[in-house]
Amino acid sequence: MKPEDLLELDFRIEFPKFSLEISEKIALQGVTALVGESGAGKSTMLRVIAGIERSGQGTVRFRGRTWMDSEAGVFVPAYKRAVGIVFQEGRLFSHLDVRGNLNYGFRRNANRDGPNWDDVCQALDLEPLITRRVQKLSGGEQQRVALGRALVSAPSLLLLDEPLASLDSDSKDEIIPYLRRVILTFGIPAIYVTHSREELRTLVDNMLIVDKGRIVGRGSEMAGPGHRQLLKAVMGKPAGKGLAYCRIGDSKVLARHEHDVTEGSAVMLAFLDTDMTISTTHWPATFSAGRFSGSIAAVEPGNSDCEARVTAGTAGGQVRIAVYCVPEERSELIVGRDIEIAFVRPPHVMC
């Protein structure tokens, strides 16, 4: 990849009982997850990228622009890096209402191109909250506002440090669709720290495994625009601006489209292996853009103990699915077993 498509990291930090040494090139497309045990160095890595942690020795380059070069004495401060950050706690200003918190982010956009105020409020349903005080918001609402504040600052990169970790299961169910929506709508590359398999399944395109201050593995190397898959479908009824239902066999899924397509036309759906997940039991409807039946044709190990590659036969053709699971769950992935397949992100319609 060209430098303008990459976040290039090559730095080291020494702490009294811990060292972080990172040498990695991260593609600036979709969502890259950092996974690993607590204390592995994931959050410190985000702080270096953001320009909050200044003690690193080495280089950080974003789209070919040097943000840090300790040998050359270059350090671009955090406020000049066009990075939007959402922390686990949200960190809203308690003395301001929702509008005031959003205004704080908006004043930091320095006239950069990015999501406008109205689009952000619409995508996150913030208008009904706009005059509310922070103390009157639920945990999920606070994280929506924190995400909105980051987006209206017109970031070139989103850093999300376990943004759902402090929420209960109901609040997580509420906010995950919003996260999917803004990632899809605004197309800003993101680096996402998480321990949650459900978040990996529903939000992530690529995965870096961090252990004891080092990147020790990668997942979903097949993800990316050069590795689209195709599935046969039939165009159905519109479902809103840029969305339509499509039929795969007897099932219906939600898909994105950019051009008018006649209902009943044969189409191809384009997607990545990380746009789908599978189940042998039942689905929480919140996480699904539609589901259809298939059967397991092959199972291969992934690039870590937490990943498997499943090939499944369906009414629309054969698909590959990146499945994140703990090793003991691997025994459920049996060749010939009937499964339910769900799109966790709507596929694209191709005529």
Side-chain angles (χ1 to χ4, degrees):
M1 283 191 174
K2 299 177 181 178
E4 54 265 33
D5 299 322
L6 295 170
L7 172 65
E8 300 173 90
L9 309 173
D10 189 5
F11 64 84
R12 180 182 179 89
I13 299 179
E14 292 286 349
F15 297 107
K17 296 183 178 181
F18 176 77
S19 67
L20 179 67
E21 188 169 353
I22 302 296
S23 182
E24 187 68 30
K25 294 180 180 181
I26 299 175
L28 292 170
Q29 52 190 216
V31 181
T32 298
L34 303 181
V35 301
E37 298 294 330
S38 296
K42 305 181 299 296
S43 294
T44 302
M45 186 173 162
L46 289 195
R47 290 169 61 84
V48 172
I49 295 168
I52 299 171
E53 175 61 64
R54 301 180 63 106
S55 62
Q57 298 297 305
T59 59
V60 175
R61 293 188 173 91
F62 178 80
R63 299 195 190 280
R65 181 190 175 200
T66 299
W67 279 354
M68 181 180 84
D69 186 335
S70 57
E71 188 172 330
V74 175
F75 188 89
V76 176
Y79 73 94
K80 289 186 176 181
R81 293 195 183 190
V83 171
I85 310 174
V86 180
F87 296 99
Q88 179 176 327
E89 314 84 10
R91 300 191 186 181
L92 299 177
F93 297 115
S94 59
H95 64 288
L96 299 176
D97 60 10
V98 170
R99 187 190 304 276
N101 274 276
L102 293 176
N103 268 327
Y104 177 82
F106 189 71
R107 289 195 299 269
R108 296 170 64 86
N109 71 16
N111 297 315
R112 294 187 294 266
D113 290 333
N116 66 45
W117 178 288
D118 290 340
D119 288 343
V120 170
C121 286
Q122 181 177 0
L124 292 169
D125 290 337
L126 295 180
E127 197 58 43
L129 310 177
I130 206 74
T131 60
R132 298 256 299 271
R133 306 293 293 185
V134 169
Q135 297 87 338
K136 300 294 184 180
L137 301 176
S138 69
E141 288 169 342
Q142 288 188 29
Q143 289 303 79
R144 279 160 53 196
V145 175
L147 183 58
R149 183 176 64 181
L151 288 168
V152 295
S153 71
S156 299
L157 177 67
L158 278 174
L159 302 178
L160 306 169
D161 193 359
E162 296 194 70
L164 310 186
S166 63
L167 304 180
D168 58 35
S169 58
D170 288 343
S171 296
K172 287 182 180 180
D173 288 353
E174 169 197 329
I175 197 170
I176 282 180
Y178 286 108
L179 276 168
R180 278 208 310 267
R181 185 187 301 174
V182 298
I183 288 168
L184 178 66
T185 300
F186 301 122
I188 301 168
I191 300 178
Y192 194 100
V193 173
T194 183
H195 291 98
S196 165
R197 283 190 296 116
E198 199 60 65
E199 291 166 43
L200 288 173
R201 285 172 173 162
T202 57
L203 296 170
V204 169
D205 300 297
N206 292 289
M207 182 172 67
L208 298 175
I209 303 163
V210 186
D211 183 50
K212 298 177 182 177
R214 309 290 187 273
I215 292 174
V216 297
R218 295 164 182 80
S220 305
E221 290 180 352
M222 291 300 292
H227 297 280
R228 293 277 177 194
Q229 297 190 70
L230 297 175
L231 196 61
K232 296 176 182 177
V234 176
M235 195 70 179
K237 295 182 180 297
K241 185 178 180 181
L243 293 170
Y245 291 109
C246 291
R247 296 194 307 277
I248 301 173
D250 296 328
S251 301
K252 186 167 61 175
V253 301
L254 191 65
R256 294 168 283 180
H257 66 97
E258 298 176 358
H259 307 286
D260 292 334
V261 184
T262 304
E263 185 177 343
S265 299
V267 295
M268 301 296 286
L269 301 181
F271 53 93
L272 305 178
D273 56 1
T274 48
D275 288 339
M276 295 185 296
T277 188
I278 69 172
S279 175
T280 55
T281 53
H282 64 280
W283 290 99
T286 318
F287 297 125
S288 176
R291 54 189 184 267
F292 54 103
S293 299
S295 62
I296 297 177
V299 181
E300 298 176 351
N303 295 296
S304 74
D305 290 340
C306 297
E307 186 181 6
R309 300 288 176 81
V310 173
T311 301
T314 78
Q318 199 169 75
V319 294
R320 299 185 315 274
I321 308 163
V323 177
Y324 298 101
C325 57
V326 294
E328 51 266 32
E329 292 178 328
R330 197 77 58 80
S331 61
E332 297 181 12
L333 304 176
I334 303 168
V335 172
R337 184 168 189 174
D338 291 336
I339 56 174
E340 286 278 289
I341 303 169
F343 279 109
V344 295
R345 279 181 290 253
H348 288 275
V349 172
M350 298 182 66
C351 300

